[in-house]
């Protein structure tokens, strides 16, 4: 059964739904919202994926260049990497001013659906695609950060506060990691006082906005920015290789 959202030009469906929300706010709750579940992909994957790969390299290099990070047990390093790479990567996107657009992903043909329905259980499922609603949420988080207009030092201290998260289960050196986070937060707060003396709430506001980045699922970031490049490879394994490979070879 097809709803009214499938009518008209499919190429302009996303733009139309976004504009119609602004033009008719009173009717937003009555409209069909199936467009938010539509799958999307990058409009210019070659350009965007290249920029995202560069940001990911810088993100891993940030960890590699921190002496305090190398003092941690390897098990803790891996836990921090797995938990924090997404918010650190997103901060990198904001800092590098990486923007992107998405377009609706074509639906699989009826023939493809029939053929795939006969696959054996041992075969891997079809690759997933990000939804429009998930991408809009991501872009909202990035736009909020851009509005903060952080300085390079603010980014550096905030990255440290995000990376050294003592609340991750299984950490062996949680007390030391907590002291590193407290040190990064204190450095950020001391930096803000002379830079923004009129904005006493900037420190707490930055931390609050930063917490929203942790709500972005790694699967969304992987499927949107890296799946076109790495295919079916495990992003977690690639991150570990990048973290421990010799300098100069860190390529996703």
């Amino acid at each position: 059964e097809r709803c009214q959202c499938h009518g008209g030009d499919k190429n302009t469906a996303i733009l139309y739904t976004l504009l119609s929300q602004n033009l008719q706010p009173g009717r937003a709750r009555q409209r069909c919202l199936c467009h938010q579940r539509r799958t999307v992909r990058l409009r210019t994957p070659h350009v965007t994926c290249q920029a995202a790969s560069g940001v990911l390299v810088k993100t891993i290099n940030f960890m590699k260049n921190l002496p305090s990070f190398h003092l941690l047990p390897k098990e803790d390093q891996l836990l921090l990497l797995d938990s924090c790479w997404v918010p650190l990567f997103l901060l990198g996107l904001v800092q590098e001013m990486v923007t992107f657009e998405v377009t609706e992903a074509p639906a699989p043909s009826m023939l493809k659906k029939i053929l795939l329905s006969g696959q054996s259980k041992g075969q891997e499922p079809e690759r997933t695609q990000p939804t429009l609603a998930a991408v809009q949420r991501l872009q909202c988080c990035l736009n909020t950060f851009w509005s903060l207009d952080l300085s390079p030092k603010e980014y550096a201290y905030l990255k440290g506060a995000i990376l050294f998260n003592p609340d991750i289960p299984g950490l062996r050196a949680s007390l030391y990691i907590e002291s590193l986070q407290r040190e990064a937060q204190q450095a950020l707060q001391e930096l803000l006082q002379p830079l923004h003396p009129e904005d006493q709430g900037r420190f707490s506001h930055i931390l609050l906005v930063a917490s929203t980045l942790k709500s972005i699922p790694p699967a969304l970031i992987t499927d949107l920015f890296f799946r076109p490049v790495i295919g079916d490879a495990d992003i977690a394994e690639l991150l570990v290789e990048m973290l421990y490979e010799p300098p100069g070879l860190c390529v996703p």
Side-chain angles (χ1 to χ4, degrees):
E1 193 175 320
R2 298 168 65 86
C3 71
Q4 60 185 359
C5 294
H6 289 84
D9 185 2
K10 290 186 178 181
N11 294 327
T12 59
I14 294 178
L15 177 61
Y16 171 78
T17 51
L18 292 176
L19 292 176
S20 61
Q21 283 181 328
N22 294 331
L23 292 175
Q24 299 175 328
R27 297 176 56 189
R29 277 181 283 183
Q30 299 177 359
R31 287 193 313 104
C32 175
L33 298 179
C34 69
H35 70 284
Q36 292 188 332
R37 296 190 295 271
R38 289 179 179 176
T39 57
V40 295
R41 61 185 180 183
L42 293 173
R43 185 178 294 276
T44 56
H46 176 71
V47 175
T48 306
C49 290
Q50 184 177 9
S53 296
V55 171
L56 184 62
V57 169
K58 291 183 179 180
T59 299
I60 300 301
N61 284 339
F62 169 77
M63 300 183 193
K64 296 172 72 170
N65 294 330
L66 287 176
S68 53
F69 182 79
H70 290 285
L71 292 176
L72 296 172
K74 185 175 181 179
E75 296 83 356
D76 286 6
Q77 294 178 21
L78 294 176
L79 286 173
L80 293 178
L81 172 66
D82 182 66
S83 175
C84 302
W85 79 268
V86 168
L88 291 178
F89 167 76
L90 294 177
L91 271 184
L93 287 184
V94 177
Q95 189 172 11
E96 298 292 329
M97 300 296 291
V98 176
T99 60
F100 62 93
E101 296 180 356
V102 294
T103 184
E104 187 174 350
S109 65
M110 184 60 65
L111 176 60
K112 184 177 181 180
K113 290 182 178 179
I114 295 175
L115 293 175
L116 291 178
S117 65
Q119 285 184 328
S120 62
K121 294 183 179 180
Q123 291 180 291
E124 294 184 359
E126 188 179 5
R127 188 179 300 171
T128 59
Q129 291 276 5
T131 64
L132 175 61
V135 172
Q136 286 178 333
R137 182 181 179 187
L138 168 61
Q139 291 179 320
C140 180
C141 290
L142 298 180
N143 289 335
T144 303
F145 251 105
W146 273 315
S147 68
L148 293 176
D149 193 23
L150 301 182
S151 67
K153 285 188 176 181
E154 286 176 289
Y155 277 113
Y157 293 141
L158 181 57
K159 288 178 182 178
I162 290 176
L163 173 61
F164 297 116
N165 179 9
D167 299 324
I168 300 174
L171 291 174
R172 295 173 55 188
S174 57
L175 292 179
Y176 176 58
I177 293 173
E178 183 178 10
S179 68
L180 293 174
Q181 184 186 65
R182 188 164 52 246
E183 182 180 332
Q185 292 177 343
Q186 183 177 352
L188 175 60
Q189 191 170 23
E190 292 176 353
L191 175 68
L192 293 176
Q193 290 175 353
L195 288 179
H196 305 276
E198 75 291 345
D199 190 356
Q200 298 297 320
R202 183 174 175 85
F203 173 70
S204 57
H205 184 53
I206 289 176
L207 294 184
L208 178 62
V209 175
S211 66
T212 64
L213 300 180
K214 299 178 183 179
S215 66
I216 304 299
L220 171 62
I221 302 304
T222 303
D223 291 338
L224 185 63
F225 295 109
F226 301 113
R227 195 60 68 196
V229 177
I230 67 175
D232 295 326
D234 188 347
I235 186 67
E237 294 180 0
L238 293 178
L239 291 172
V240 173
E241 292 179 7
M242 292 170 64
L243 183 62
Y244 293 112
E245 65 188 356
L249 298 177
C250 193
V251 180

